Amino acid sequence: MISNITIQKAIPEDAQEIGEVFYRTWLATYPNAEVGITTDDVEDIWKNRGSVDGSRFKSFPDNELFLTAKCDGQVVGVCSLVKHENKNELKAIYVLPEYQGRGIGKMFWEEALKYFDKKKKICVEVADYNAPAINFYKRLGFVDSGNRFPMKISFKSGAVITEMEMIILNK
Ligand SMILES: CC(C)(COP(=O)(O)OP(=O)(O)OC[C@H]1O[C@@H](n2cnc3c(N)ncnc32)[C@H](O)[C@@H]1OP(=O)(O)O)[C@@H](O)C(=O)NCCC(=O)NCCS
């Protein structure tokens, strides 16, 4: 646990740092020789999707709560929570590699539980080869729903990430 971390709602001024957290954490998480995802795939995605200026993180829909974890004013983790008609979705949670394993994911989770509709299930989709994240979600109480989906992102190499759905039915 680190003491100088604060969890806050994202503000437009955070947008560029949010993009950098996604980009750096994706690079450390998704390249995988067996699945065929390359470093180039990740770089291509983030260049095309505007991580450089972070423009897509300046505003969010009404049903999304976008949080940052800041350490000494710098964004070191991001978390997107979405309330749908029929379910709560943990849409994204990314902590910079050098800040992982220090309680930030758990701090985001505590905020998620406050935000989510308690009557509805909680879902997350995780790359089926991302064992550390799968173990993190199990630790929080998620179980494999059995559903699998192709990630809705076209990588330059043509490789496809299979996402595993994990759920918590009642919290
Ligand atoms: C997965 C991730 C969000 C977890 O956040 P974190 O800040 O590293 O996790 P925390 O330190 O808050 O750990 C919370 C709990 O989960 C456990 N945990 C975390 N990572 C774990 C792992 N790889 N295996 C087993 N348990 C794990 C911790 O031991 C802790 O348990 P405790 O409450 O008993 O102490 C973070 O490591 C990350 O950003 N990973 C890379 C990106 C990614 O894969 N994101 C998910 C995409 S779907």
Side-chain angles (χ1 to χ4, degrees):
M1 200 61 180
I2 16 181
S3 54
N4 56 340
I5 296 289
T6 54
I7 305 292
Q8 297 162 19
K9 214 172 150 174
I11 54 172
E13 291 73 18
D14 293 331
Q16 182 162 359
E17 287 184 19
I18 290 171
E20 281 162 16
V21 169
F22 271 101
Y23 173 59
R24 283 188 51 209
T25 313
W26 270 55
L27 270 183
T29 305
Y30 292 119
N32 181 291
E34 209 176 307
V35 182
I37 302 290
T38 62
T39 298
D40 192 38
D41 278 328
V42 173
E43 292 195 331
D44 174 61
I45 287 292
W46 283 97
K47 277 170 201 155
N48 292 342
R49 287 170 57 175
S51 75
V52 180
D53 66 0
S55 51
R56 63 187 276 253
F57 303 115
K58 286 206 165 89
S59 65
F60 306 97
D62 288 345
N63 66 335
E64 177 173 10
L65 175 63
F66 198 104
L67 299 170
T68 61
K70 287 189 179 173
C71 182
D72 299 327
Q74 186 211 337
V75 180
V76 299
V78 299
C79 177
S80 160
L81 307 168
V82 181
K83 285 200 260 199
H84 298 279
E85 283 284 298
N86 58 341
K87 64 177 183 182
N88 303 292
E89 183 188 10
L90 183 47
K91 195 174 162 198
I93 179 163
Y94 290 95
V95 176
L96 283 177
E98 61 271 32
Y99 285 87
Q100 289 171 14
R102 294 158 74 176
I104 296 175
K106 195 87 173 279
M107 290 170 84
F108 281 136
W109 178 240
E110 280 158 16
E111 295 304 316
L113 291 179
K114 285 186 220 161
Y115 176 67
F116 283 155
D117 185 335
K118 288 169 186 51
K119 295 189 207 78
K120 295 172 186 167
K121 65 182 175 181
I122 305 173
C123 300
V124 65
E125 289 178 19
V126 53
D128 65 352
Y129 61 88
N130 187 357
I134 292 169
N135 287 331
F136 167 73
Y137 293 128
K138 282 185 183 162
R139 180 79 191 81
L140 301 181
F142 284 86
V143 295
D144 181 359
S145 77
N147 291 327
R148 298 292 182 273
F149 311 99
M151 192 188 262
K152 296 176 212 74
I153 287 178
S154 307
F155 290 101
K156 196 174 165 186
S157 65
V160 177
I161 293 180
T162 299
E163 301 229 73
M164 165 182 177
E165 183 188 57
M166 298 183 80
I167 54 167
I168 293 181
L169 286 178
N170 290 303
K171 194 71 204 175

